[in-house]
Amino acid sequence: MSDVFISYSRKDTDFVKALYAALEARNRSTWVDWSNIPLTADWWQEIQTGIESADTFVFIISSDSVASAVCNQEIDHAVLHHKRLFPIVRRNEFDLSQVHPALQKRNWLFFRETDDFDRAFHQLLEALDTDLEHVRQHTKLLIKAIEWEKSRRDDSFLLRGNGLADIEQWLAHSKDKQPRPTELQNHYVIASEQWQRQEIERLQSLYEQAEQRRIEAERNEVKALCKSSEALFISNQEFEALLEALRAVRRLKLATWTEANLQKQVRLALQQAVYGVKERNRLEIGDHPVFVKQVCFSPDGTLIAAAVNAVVNAQVKGSIILWSSKGQQIRTLARHESYIMSVCFSPDGQAIASGDASGKIYLWSLEGQRLRHYHDPTGIGDIQFTPDGALLIAGSNDGAVRGWTVEGEEILTLPTAGYVTSIDISPDGTIIAAAGGSNARGGGNGIVRLWTIAGQELQTLDGHIAPVMAVCFDATGTVIASSGWDRKIKLWSLNGQELQSLDADCMGNQGSCEAVLDVRFSPDGTSIAAATQDGLVKLWSSEGHELGVLKGHTSKLCSISFSPTNNLIASGSVDGTVRLWNLSDQTLLTLTSNKSHGFLSIGVSPDGQWVVAGSHDGIIAIWDRQGQLLKLFQGHQNCINDIGFSPDGQTFATASNNDTATVRLWNLDGDELQQFIWHNRGVYSVSFSPDGQSLLSVGWEDGTIRLWNLKGQLLKTIDGARLDARFSPDSQIIAAADAIANVTLWNLDGENLNTLSGHKDTVRRLCFSPDGQIIATASDDKTIKLWSISGEELKTLTGHQGRIQGLSFSPCGQYLASASVDKTIKLWNLEGQELKTLKGHGNSVSAVCFSPDGEAIVSASMDNTVKLWNAEILDFDELVIRGSNWVQDYLQTNPNVEESDRLLCDQIMSKPRNVEG
């Protein structure tokens, strides 16, 4: 680009040179054809380019120039491109009519020989500087437009972005300025604007496509996390399932989109994991292979110690790892040069003892300082402190039990045959129990021997048929538990009587158990936990009822320990982990009776203040909501199959088998008010109409539905039902189950309205939703089906492992509780998602119902208990909080957690929620 293009006649060359020199001296770049055209260049093309790239076209007027065809061509080209024209008169002797019309309209500057050059030059400079920026922008735009035109209007030459915006602004402010934009410039700008709009649309489309792919990838990630969580949950990895569900929550909360179905999937996966998880934390020792032989809590429950063994240079060496109860590894105590068999805290919690297979026993301070060294010549099987902390007792490989004072003096040796694998000392410190095998080579029958602390042998407990691996006292010191390779847990009295034998191999279809390697009573004595060879923690009540199984370890369990507060179990495994399990269950109350023999039916009064249960042997029990037994009496001579409360809560009806009066009406004082005797033998169900005016019963032997008034008068008989029948909430429809897997809907006149078919076995129970729009049916085929009132099958709920015997909608109608012979109660939502499973009954669960306020679930079982359970259903935010709190310690303390997960809970809690709760 140049400031000035000079067009002139060669006869004015001297003047032009002077003008050129003056312009260059004032930093005005000037294009003149004597120096700007290369000898080999196309002459006219270079002239055109010079004109196009100059801000101002200066024409030297003389008689020669106005007559020059080339000079006029140059003027035409300048006019074509709307160049600013400055005519300069050098010589007067010219014909005005020959002057180009474009020059005649301009103001002329006079540089004649008679004129003052400096004064005229100053006027020229002022003219050149007038609207200089406008002129320069015009030139720049022209050059670009010409380049675009010469390139056959290639889009790559178009303006875009800020450059286009600047030109658009220039055009907006230059409407009244000279030179005006040329047609080419206008076309160029329009083309640039069109291209930019199209490009924006193209980029927007690409962005939207990329954004859609990103969103789809995020959706797929969330779906994958949900599916992974569900798969982990099904495979008994509930802790990992919870972590995956929380990762799905994090991904969803970071998302810029919402999708109702996906939000629901995340909520359900999280809900399932939160309600189902038992593992609270996982203690691991880096990423190298180790195995945990024994684990124990400190007496105050704040510390956990584990005997950890590893293979080092082809030799097994052990160390003691100390953690806080939250999972923070505190320190590693000095290593043993042999396999550590046992570790225990002193009763005051200030020291730790450890014993190894070579016979070395060390006493350590909590800071890791070695305080004492003891020695057993044949190797250690187990060690324990006496409750007063005065003695350290060890069971040996040679079958002996040895005792030392804390200061190191050996004061006790109890020789026996065989070998010792486990010892325990009674809570009062008076009795030592030692367990092992009768064969010194490691086999033989299992034996447990009892001595006084003074060394007097009391009893030999020899009911095991294989070596005993563990022995322990209960909190009272009156019951001893032992377990071993015969897969049995045996309970003994101190006089050697076998009280009970629990079979770990037959527990709830939980797989084959090769051995029970450890057994412990809970501190309150209400439950028993066992560690099995197949990696499970199995739980029983102290009465021997199965309570559940804790799954998650990937190899055999060696040791378990209860925390002093009962609510945690630590388990140590060959898989190299110590896992902490939370035992807090959902049970609010357990109601029992000492006269009944298993409960079959349950009813709760409409005000929620009374619970009535009917037993297998015809006993009726009445409790208040606080669990106090108010009445216990013989109501029928045979099993009570069903109980129904009147809507006003003042009376209840019972249905029984093989009785003179198969349906009876009672008040809450236990007074019989009425008998209904029209059925032949057994009655399976009974219920009041919602308006309280009539009573409905089903005879399972005579196959009839009977409708009664409250005075015992028969109002209507309908043939075609054998098991359950219920009124709709408006009392206008009766739904009844027959014996061939169907449910029939009737009106009160006995007219058949519809038949629900779909189950593969007998429908045993059914119920209407509170709004009457859904019917739930429970079958011996182990499924629950949901139906619309019009007969459409909506959902099939699967999960129970046995026949379903009880069914109840929550008062809000959003949830369903079911009871099964598989000893569980399950809670479902109407999408068919299993929300949680309640375990704690020791036998078949016969009946279930919600409390009227929906806060509790009440269940009756053949284990002769009635339980009240917490029916809480958390909203999404509450689920996130509970789930985050549950895994927080693990994420912060476990050395193998990926760094991206360390702040998982903080990320979830700090981000705006993108899920509708």
Side-chain angles (χ1 to χ4, degrees), residues 280-550:
R280 189 60 190 261
N281 204 344
R282 189 174 303 172
L283 315 183
E284 298 178 276
I285 305 94
D287 57 0
H288 54 283
V290 298
F291 49 97
V292 180
K293 172 60 177 173
Q294 198 168 71
V295 63
C296 60
F297 279 96
S298 63
D300 63 1
T302 61
L303 298 175
I304 300 167
V308 178
N309 297 290
V311 177
V312 179
N313 296 326
Q315 290 185 328
V316 178
K317 297 187 178 183
S319 56
I320 307 299
I321 309 294
L322 200 60
W323 289 274
S324 73
S325 58
K326 289 185 174 294
Q328 184 68 48
Q329 186 171 330
I330 296 173
R331 63 180 54 88
T332 298
L333 305 185
R335 288 181 171 83
H336 283 253
E337 292 302 312
S338 182
Y339 188 108
I340 299 180
M341 299 295 294
S342 182
V343 62
C344 63
F345 281 92
S346 62
D348 63 4
Q350 298 305 303
I352 297 174
S354 58
D356 66 30
S358 71
K360 292 183 175 63
I361 303 172
Y362 296 120
L363 187 65
W364 312 87
S365 71
L366 298 185
E367 290 71 33
Q369 179 184 0
R370 195 168 80 182
L371 304 176
R372 294 282 187 278
H373 174 208
Y374 314 87
H375 184 67
D376 184 294
T378 62
I380 298 301
D382 196 13
I383 55 174
Q384 292 289 334
F385 282 95
T386 56
D388 60 5
L391 298 178
L392 185 63
I393 308 296
S396 305
N397 287 341
D398 63 358
V401 174
R402 294 180 173 85
W404 295 266
T405 65
V406 175
E407 290 74 22
E409 179 185 359
E410 184 175 341
I411 63 170
L412 180 68
T413 301
L414 306 175
T416 67
Y419 57 96
V420 178
T421 57
S422 175
I423 61 171
D424 198 20
I425 301 166
S426 62
D428 62 4
T430 62
I431 300 175
I432 300 172
S438 59
N439 189 325
R441 295 184 177 181
N445 292 336
I447 55 173
V448 177
R449 289 188 170 89
L450 306 183
W451 292 272
T452 67
I453 196 71
Q456 178 186 357
E457 185 169 352
L458 299 175
Q459 292 288 342
T460 297
L461 315 178
D462 58 359
H464 287 279
I465 61 173
V468 178
M469 299 303 294
V471 65
C472 66
F473 284 91
D474 73 348
T476 67
T478 61
V479 179
I480 297 170
S482 59
S483 68
W485 282 95
D486 61 1
R487 311 170 187 173
K488 306 291 185 184
I489 294 111
K490 293 185 179 291
L491 304 184
W492 312 83
S493 67
L494 293 182
N495 61 14
Q497 179 185 1
E498 183 178 321
L499 303 175
Q500 197 166 3
S501 181
L502 308 176
D503 191 345
D505 197 29
C506 298
M507 189 175 187
N509 298 317
Q510 299 296 337
S512 176
C513 169
E514 295 182 7
V516 182
L517 301 182
D518 199 8
V519 64
R520 291 288 177 257
F521 282 100
S522 62
D524 63 4
T526 61
S527 58
I528 301 167
T532 71
Q533 175 89 351
D534 52 349
L536 305 177
V537 178
K538 298 190 175 184
L539 303 172
W540 290 264
S541 70
S542 56
E543 293 82 20
H545 297 145
E546 297 173 10
L547 300 180
V549 179
L550 305 177

Side-chain angles (χ1 to χ4, degrees), residues 474-730:
D474 73 348
T476 67
T478 61
V479 179
I480 297 170
S482 59
S483 68
W485 282 95
D486 61 1
R487 311 170 187 173
K488 306 291 185 184
I489 294 111
K490 293 185 179 291
L491 304 184
W492 312 83
S493 67
L494 293 182
N495 61 14
Q497 179 185 1
E498 183 178 321
L499 303 175
Q500 197 166 3
S501 181
L502 308 176
D503 191 345
D505 197 29
C506 298
M507 189 175 187
N509 298 317
Q510 299 296 337
S512 176
C513 169
E514 295 182 7
V516 182
L517 301 182
D518 199 8
V519 64
R520 291 288 177 257
F521 282 100
S522 62
D524 63 4
T526 61
S527 58
I528 301 167
T532 71
Q533 175 89 351
D534 52 349
L536 305 177
V537 178
K538 298 190 175 184
L539 303 172
W540 290 264
S541 70
S542 56
E543 293 82 20
H545 297 145
E546 297 173 10
L547 300 180
V549 179
L550 305 177
K551 301 179 180 181
H553 282 290
T554 58
S555 190
K556 74 176 182 179
L557 286 184
C558 297
S559 174
I560 51 175
S561 177
F562 276 94
S563 70
T565 57
N566 298 301
N567 64 337
L568 280 181
I569 284 181
S571 58
S573 168
V574 172
D575 67 12
T577 69
V578 173
R579 304 195 187 206
L580 303 184
W581 309 87
N582 190 304
L583 298 185
S584 300
D585 60 21
Q586 300 288 311
T587 309
L588 302 175
L589 278 176
T590 298
L591 313 179
T592 59
S593 149
N594 57 9
K595 290 186 178 181
S596 55
H597 293 85
F599 289 112
L600 287 176
S601 53
I602 195 74
V604 179
S605 62
D607 62 3
Q609 296 305 307
W610 312 97
V611 177
V612 179
S615 78
H616 187 267
D617 51 357
I619 298 293
I620 297 175
I622 304 176
W623 296 269
D624 63 19
R625 181 66 183 266
Q626 287 69 46
Q628 182 179 356
L629 182 62
L630 304 177
K631 295 284 182 180
L632 188 68
F633 59 94
Q634 190 77 43
H636 292 267
Q637 297 307 310
N638 212 313
C639 56
I640 300 175
N641 294 317
D642 200 11
I643 295 173
F645 260 96
S646 62
D648 63 7
Q650 299 303 304
T651 58
F652 63 91
T654 55
S656 176
N657 287 351
N658 303 322
D659 209 338
T660 55
T662 51
V663 176
R664 300 188 183 198
L665 194 63
W666 314 83
N667 64 23
L668 290 172
D669 292 325
D671 301 324
E672 184 178 310
L673 305 178
Q674 189 63 255
Q675 294 185 359
F676 304 80
I677 59 176
W678 293 101
H679 279 289
N680 296 324
R681 302 182 69 185
V683 176
Y684 191 79
S685 73
V686 64
S687 59
F688 281 86
S689 61
D691 59 14
Q693 299 303 305
S694 55
L695 199 65
L696 184 68
S697 61
V698 176
W700 64 271
E701 286 199 29
D702 63 20
T704 64
I705 305 167
R706 296 183 186 264
L707 195 60
W708 318 77
N709 66 23
L710 300 189
K711 295 180 180 180
Q713 296 173 322
L714 182 62
L715 304 177
K716 189 76 177 178
T717 299
I718 303 173
D719 293 325
R722 290 191 178 276
L723 294 174
D724 203 10
R726 301 294 162 181
F727 281 103
S728 62
D730 62 3

Side-chain angles (χ1 to χ4, degrees), residues 98-249:
Q98 288 185 306
V99 176
H100 196 289
L103 298 180
Q104 294 181 20
K105 296 186 251 182
R106 300 293 192 272
N107 292 325
W108 295 359
L109 296 175
F110 292 91
F111 278 78
R112 296 164 297 193
E113 290 184 358
T114 57
D115 295 318
D116 186 337
F117 182 89
D118 292 336
R119 185 170 176 274
F121 184 72
H122 181 70
Q123 290 174 336
L124 175 61
L125 290 179
E126 286 184 345
L128 289 174
D129 290 341
T130 301
D131 285 334
L132 184 58
E133 287 304 316
H134 170 77
V135 174
R136 286 178 174 171
Q137 191 66 275
H138 185 280
T139 302
K140 291 178 183 178
L141 179 59
L142 180 63
I143 292 171
K144 290 181 178 294
I146 292 172
E147 288 176 346
W148 171 66
E149 182 71 18
K150 289 179 178 179
S151 70
R152 298 183 180 179
R153 302 198 172 192
D154 188 328
D155 288 344
S156 64
F157 287 86
L158 292 173
L159 298 169
R160 61 199 66 188
N162 291 335
L164 178 57
D166 291 344
I167 291 300
E168 288 174 330
Q169 187 176 12
W170 173 76
L171 288 172
H173 291 87
S174 62
K175 292 180 180 179
D176 300 324
K177 293 184 178 181
Q178 292 293 333
R180 291 177 293 102
T182 67
E183 183 178 4
L184 177 61
Q185 287 173 312
N186 285 329
H187 287 166
Y188 178 61
V189 172
I190 292 171
S192 296
E193 291 172 335
Q194 289 175 341
W195 179 89
Q196 181 155 290
R197 281 195 299 270
Q198 292 171 355
E199 185 67 6
I200 289 173
E201 291 173 359
R202 185 183 71 84
L203 293 176
Q204 181 66 28
S205 176
L206 290 175
Y207 168 78
E208 290 173 356
Q209 293 174 27
E211 185 68 4
Q212 190 60 40
R213 287 194 294 270
R214 181 188 67 81
I215 291 172
E216 189 62 26
E218 289 179 354
R219 286 183 178 135
N220 289 336
E221 181 184 356
V222 174
K223 290 176 184 177
L225 288 168
C226 289
K227 289 181 179 178
S228 175
S229 177
E230 292 169 6
L232 289 166
F233 189 86
I234 291 171
S235 63
N236 302 307
Q237 300 178 73
E238 292 90 353
F239 192 75
E240 287 84 353
L242 177 56
L243 289 170
E244 285 288 80
L246 290 172
R247 293 183 186 110
V249 172

